[in-house]
Amino acid sequence: MDSVEPDLIQNSIQWTPKDDFGPNLIRLHVTNQIKELQTVIRDKNTSRSDFRFYADRLIRLVVEEGLNQLPYQKHSVTTPTGFQYNGLRFEEGNCGVSIIRSGEAMEKGLRECCRSICIGKILMAPYEETHEAAKVMYANFPVDIARRKVLLMSPILSTFI
């Protein structure tokens, strides 16, 4: 019996991002590399070490796209040969917040891209009666989170929990 697994990135099921997940959802452009990574991590014959390696690669691509959405400012530097290079750097005040359990898998990818970024954590649980809202069970944020741009880390798109 053949079964088709939903593949949100590949558009095999129809959905509207702005309706279902809000206007801030950014979808990765599916490349052959992304499709290969998805294939390996979905293969029942993939070893544990390969699964972790390829999942980390896919997570890193997602984190890097998230970082592209954070604010940058112009920044000039002098090269080792004495020339001026006009580039960019992150604006100060960015941080990551991982949803405990699932989002923690993304922390390594964020740290590999931004060594000194602050990372907070939040644990949420659905209300058993309604299944509509979630309650915060634990939160540990940077003290100045209200002034920061937050990269929320959750690899589970359907529930965010």
Side-chain angles (χ1 to χ4, degrees):
M1 176 176 168
D2 290 338
S3 65
V4 177
E5 189 170 330
D7 189 346
L8 293 177
I9 294 177
Q10 196 60 28
N11 293 327
S12 62
I13 60 176
Q14 297 298 316
W15 61 288
T16 309
K18 292 187 184 335
D19 294 339
D20 296 345
F21 299 108
N24 294 326
L25 177 72
I26 307 286
R27 292 177 61 189
L28 289 179
H29 173 71
V30 178
T31 62
N32 287 338
Q33 177 184 203
I34 288 174
K35 193 65 177 173
E36 179 200 15
L37 296 173
Q38 290 177 321
T39 302
V40 172
I41 64 175
R42 289 179 174 174
D43 184 347
K44 69 179 182 179
N45 297 314
T46 298
S47 69
R48 179 182 170 101
S49 64
D50 281 350
F51 178 88
R52 290 185 69 183
F53 176 79
Y54 289 100
D56 284 346
R57 282 188 58 204
L58 187 56
I59 286 170
R60 173 87 180 247
L61 292 171
V62 170
V63 166
E64 288 177 1
E65 182 55 38
L67 293 173
N68 281 330
Q69 306 307 312
L70 294 176
Y72 288 82
Q73 61 187 12
K74 292 181 181 181
H75 182 69
S76 297
V77 296
T78 304
T79 68
T81 56
F83 290 97
Q84 197 73 11
Y85 177 77
N86 297 319
L88 298 172
R89 70 174 173 194
F90 281 118
E91 287 185 7
E92 289 187 28
N94 297 324
C95 75
V97 171
S98 64
I99 295 180
I100 293 179
R101 295 192 189 108
S102 61
E104 290 171 317
M106 301 179 81
E107 288 180 15
K108 179 182 176 221
L110 181 59
R111 286 257 185 247
E112 288 172 349
C113 295
C114 304
R115 276 188 251 168
S116 60
I117 195 164
C118 292
I119 296 179
K121 296 181 182 278
I122 188 168
L123 174 63
M124 299 185 314
Y127 283 116
E128 297 300 322
E129 308 82 49
T130 63
H131 298 285
E132 291 179 15
K135 58 183 172 182
V136 174
M137 305 298 290
Y138 170 82
N140 184 7
F141 301 135
V143 293
D144 59 347
I145 195 166
R147 71 166 193 82
R148 294 179 178 265
K149 297 289 183 187
V150 176
L151 183 63
L152 183 63
M153 296 178 285
S154 174
I156 301 173
L157 189 61
S158 64
T159 62
F160 291 103
I161 296 175

